[in-house]
Amino acid sequence: MPSLALSVLVALVVSGLQVSAQNCACGYKDSSGHVWREAIVSTFTQSSGALAAVNQDWIVATDFEGQDGTATANIQYVSANVFQYQDALGLKASAYTGGGSVDCAEIFTKRSDILYGSFRMRAQVPSVPGVVFGFFTYISDTQEQDIEFLSSDADYYQRLYYTNQPGLINGDTDPNAAKEVVVPGADFTTFGVHRFDWLPSQTVYSYDGSGVTSQTVITKNVPTTPSEFVLNVWSNGDPQFSRGPPTADSIATVQSVNLYFNSTSVSAASFNSACSAAGNIAPCSV
Ligand SMILES: *[C@@H]1O[C@H](CO)[C@@H](O)[C@H](O)[C@H]1NC(C)=O
């Protein structure tokens, strides 16, 4: 049936998947049993290099973000700070030289149609103080869910900031939307997997690394709008949050980012017909 075979191919191309040996036309089943139609798998350790994986699915930010309030410096995202580093992807905020802005790093997906999914990265956090390392969905300041690491925290190697924005209510932290989690025994400076599963009713944040696991659920402010996915390392010198700016380069090292998701671009009906055309094979386990 050439037309069905063609539609499978088109669905794969449209969804940004590489047509590879593994056929996941019936989607991806995650460890919680949820099925996702599409995937972006960025393996920064691949032989063709981290930046080749970046260029396939991500945009490197180059914008200037002027800061106010208690910030002491502006943010300048620069492409040079997204770089091949130790057989992985490096994202860095550069040592501050006093020029008024900090050179920082950000990548975001070319796609901004992601709506629900299971998102994982295998990474080491920056250990030079004064930066924020973020792994998050974003479409607006009130439709955003974040994992953040603050390298100025004394226990930065085991403290997580999980937030479904807005994380403030009447100017104070909203404990139902923003949770600070310390994982005893964890060492985020070694490679481990940070994950969140964005579901309609909740965001399930988790960590699996250094021989320990941890899970935190946030049911408030779960985003409902198609979004992009973002990783960044930044500082604005704000004594109330990022602190810094860093006095030496502060680098996050990312081996992989695997995003399994549904989007507003591939309907359930077109997914089902592509799966059926592929013989209703089992979903790929992820
Ligand atoms: C994602 O897509 C799958 C396959 O179409 C569907 O079964 C599932 O309910 C969707 N998940 C969400 C959260 O919409």
Side-chain angles (χ1 to χ4, degrees):
M1 306 231 286
S3 67
L4 280 178
L6 182 63
S7 69
V8 172
L9 183 62
V10 167
L12 288 167
V13 170
V14 165
S15 67
L17 291 177
Q18 282 186 310
V19 179
S20 63
Q22 193 185 25
N23 181 349
C24 301
C26 294
Y28 305 83
K29 190 178 219 170
D30 72 24
S31 51
S32 309
H34 298 115
V35 173
W36 306 107
R37 298 172 200 150
E38 300 170 73
I40 291 174
V41 174
S42 298
T43 307
F44 300 119
T45 53
Q46 67 179 6
S47 55
S48 53
L51 294 181
V54 169
N55 290 334
Q56 189 172 321
D57 292 300
W58 304 81
I59 295 169
V60 177
T62 56
D63 51 310
F64 173 82
E65 294 188 358
Q67 304 290 299
D68 54 19
T70 48
T72 61
N74 296 310
I75 295 170
Q76 176 68 62
Y77 288 110
V78 297
S79 52
N81 283 19
V82 175
F83 63 111
Q84 175 76 40
Y85 181 63
Q86 294 181 348
D87 191 33
L89 180 69
L91 299 173
K92 84 177 164 193
S94 301
Y96 184 56
T97 53
S101 47
V102 185
D103 284 351
C104 299
E106 178 171 278
I107 60 172
F108 55 98
T109 50
K110 294 177 181 175
R111 298 180 60 165
S112 54
D113 59 356
I114 295 167
L115 183 61
Y116 307 120
S118 180
F119 314 109
R120 304 100 185 254
M121 76 166 168
R122 188 172 158 78
Q124 288 178 337
V125 302
S127 50
V128 171
V131 304
V132 180
F133 174 29
F135 178 78
F136 56 108
T137 63
Y138 181 84
I139 203 67
S140 74
D141 290 347
T142 57
Q143 291 284 300
E144 172 179 355
Q145 54 209 328
D146 305 325
I147 300 178
E148 288 169 307
F149 309 87
L150 304 190
S151 66
S152 274
D153 286 347
D155 55 356
Y156 71 93
Y157 53 88
Q158 47 187 223
R159 183 176 294 265
L160 292 149
Y161 293 76
Y162 294 138
T163 311
N164 286 1
Q165 299 285 354
L168 296 179
I169 191 161
N170 303 323
D172 295 320
T173 300
D174 179 347
N176 294 315
K179 296 190 189 283
E180 267 181 57
V181 174
V182 174
V183 185
D187 181 0
F188 302 156
T189 69
T190 64
F191 285 107
V193 176
H194 294 277
R195 165 174 170 176
F196 63 95
D197 291 0
W198 176 17
L199 304 170
S201 59
Q202 59 186 17
T203 309
V204 181
Y205 293 94
S206 62
Y207 168 71
D208 186 347
S210 31
V212 296
T213 59
S214 145
Q215 181 174 296
T216 301
V217 175
I218 297 181
T219 55
K220 191 166 182 184
N221 299 346
V222 177
T224 55
T225 309
S227 296
E228 57 194 32
F229 206 93
V230 189
L231 278 77
N232 61 16
V233 174
W234 60 274
S235 180
N236 62 2
D238 183 349
Q240 296 176 11
F241 195 59
S242 74
R243 289 154 282 178
T247 56
D249 289 355
S250 194
I251 305 170
T253 314
V254 186
Q255 289 187 328
S256 61
V257 173
N258 290 10
L259 310 177
Y260 304 101
F261 59 92
N262 291 354
S263 79
T264 49
S265 304
V266 176
S267 68
S270 65
F271 170 76
N272 288 341
S273 57
C275 172
S276 154
N280 290 310
I281 54 173
C284 296
S285 289
V286 297

